[in-house]
Amino acid sequence: MSVANKDAILLSEDTASQIEYKQMVEATTEAILRGMQGEKAYGGLTPDQLKARIHHTMLPEHGKGYAHVLKEMEQEIIPGFVHVSSTNYMAHLHSPGLLESLAAEQMIAAFNQSMDSWDQSPIATEVEVEVVGQLCKLYGYDGNADGTFTSGGSQSNLSAILFARDWYCNEVLSHDVKKLGLPSCYADFRLYTSEISHFSMEKSCHLLGLGYQAVRKVPVDKRCKMDAAKLEAMIKEDVADGKRPFCVVATIGTTDFGSIDDVQALKRIADTYGLWLHADAAYGSAAILSGTYKNRLGDLSLCDSITLDFHKMFLIPISGSAVLVKDKNDLAPCMLHADYLNREEDEEDGYTNLVGKSIQTTRRFDALKVWVAFQTRGKDGFAAIIDKVIGNARYAYEALKKDPDYEVVNEPELSSVVFRLKGSDERNKQVRRKLLLAGTVMGQTVYEGKVCLKFTLLNPRVSHEHLDELFALIKKS
Ligand SMILES: *Cc1c(COP(=O)(O)O)cnc(C)c1O
């Protein structure tokens, strides 16, 4: 294998470079396939064992050539990967990638388009605009909506809270944050979200100059959904106290439980008090493609903005996320013109520069993976996958409920089940750690002060038999 002739630097129109690239990709593919053997989700290496493997690999005086480095990767890196497509991997909202989207990743990398300006991504810009437009329609928005792809749900949430903050400052305080920075009453701003919402709420409020104190955690009910009556009481209390409520965030699929807040109830309250309503649908968004389960999400078009994550239940490889806004003018906080990048006259002539909608500048063509997967599988292909994983969570819930050795916490609305072995917290923690090093990767969280185990079932290859085996294995461990 002549992999890595040192003369070839780039993949180009040059035939030698193309032969070289093809060989490298083929050799890499072979190594990947060899690395995918076995059913274990993890090979069991400990942190110390992993650290010992990688000391010598950084920057040698003379290049070793790709063939050599590939061999090193195969020996030292690949054995330390978790196998996200293993039926024994169910720890997080961390998905295996659909086959066609893995192929699309190769296309994205080879052409390396950048989504900031039209002249760096002509067709890619037009594809993203089309995909975003179709997504707006899918979630019930009209032609006035818009959005952008982002690096993940956290950035989508940050963007949405930025839009909400600036909207509130402009509309309610007549204060232009973009030019002037935060208004003097910034410490009074309040955002409401459930106590089990994602921690990107706090991170975003910190980054946006409002601090963690801006985040008011609303208690949840027995089904792990935000208690709307308590939300309203907290807003009233804050208003009476001179605070400035500006935003409510509904979680459409909580990270641990997959529970879905009642958008309709939250919309009524947001309207009564004049607040922005954001839907963090990072987890739940994919259920829109299921005829059976999409109604569980509620009417997301009632929200002013929506976070979608494609690298979760949609099974698109990382990264892939989008934030949508009901009114395209609300993307304005990201607009800024630079003479070297996105001249105003470009837009007038029909050359769209997407940098004006995004926090990022250089940005990946992730929209292609969504476009490819949607076209490849169609709505029925996706519906089958989503029905399968949500059905698995239901099966697990029923099985655990019947078993006297387990307590089960939540009746799943999406694809995760939280449960615990009856016994001590320590026992539950030990089981998880032990199974991790033996090749089965589960999640762990806390519910009502008790350590729980968690299955996040994103993998459509998982069967009822797999789940039965796992429950038996956990008991034995
Ligand atoms: C995963 C998740 C996020 C964060 O998304 P990333 O893509 O990991 O940045 C936000 N909100 C919820 C509810 C999530 O489950």
Side-chain angles (χ1 to χ4, degrees), residues 284-302:
S285 44
I288 200 91
L289 298 177
S290 158
T292 317
Y293 298 115
K294 73 173 179 203
N295 290 339
R296 290 191 178 173
L297 302 179
D299 182 359
L300 299 187
S301 74
L302 296 173

Side-chain angles (χ1 to χ4, degrees), residues 268-443:
R268 188 184 52 74
I269 295 167
D271 280 354
T272 305
Y273 298 90
L275 316 189
W276 182 283
L277 179 59
H278 174 60
D280 177 4
Y283 184 3
S285 44
I288 200 91
L289 298 177
S290 158
T292 317
Y293 298 115
K294 73 173 179 203
N295 290 339
R296 290 191 178 173
L297 302 179
D299 182 359
L300 299 187
S301 74
L302 296 173
C303 302
D304 298 293
S305 51
I306 313 173
T307 286
L308 316 174
D309 241 351
F310 301 104
H311 55 219
K312 290 183 173 168
M313 219 173 19
F314 282 101
L315 308 186
I316 299 295
I318 301 162
S319 58
S321 178
V323 59
L324 307 180
V325 289
K326 188 187 234 166
D327 178 348
K328 59 178 181 286
N329 295 313
D330 288 323
L331 295 174
C334 289
M335 176 53 82
L336 181 61
H337 287 285
D339 293 334
Y340 52 81
L341 188 62
N342 56 338
R343 296 140 297 256
E344 278 180 72
E345 72 261 23
D346 288 352
E347 306 281 330
E348 287 154 20
D349 297 337
Y351 292 88
T352 307
N353 296 316
L354 290 177
V355 69
K357 301 179 187 186
S358 169
I359 289 176
Q360 287 169 268
T361 306
T362 300
R363 189 160 59 79
R364 288 168 53 82
F365 183 23
D366 288 323
L368 183 67
K369 290 180 283 191
V370 175
W371 189 83
V372 166
F374 277 23
Q375 306 250 349
T376 301
R377 269 167 217 277
K379 215 168 170 175
D380 55 355
F382 269 99
I385 291 170
I386 288 153
D387 291 354
K388 178 85 187 282
V389 298
I390 296 180
N392 274 344
R394 182 81 214 171
Y395 177 82
Y397 169 74
E398 299 291 350
L400 288 163
K401 219 168 52 165
K402 275 190 266 174
D403 190 325
D405 290 330
Y406 289 109
E407 293 168 58
V408 55
V409 167
N410 67 318
E411 184 169 347
E413 290 184 273
L414 294 173
S415 64
S416 45
V417 202
V418 179
F419 61 99
R420 64 197 310 278
L421 272 167
K422 286 185 185 158
S424 67
D425 283 356
E426 219 34 56
R427 168 98 205 276
N428 281 277
K429 282 189 203 173
Q430 276 167 4
V431 167
R432 191 194 69 88
R433 187 62 69 70
K434 189 169 165 199
L435 288 185
L436 168 65
L437 297 183
T440 295
V441 189
M442 295 184 292

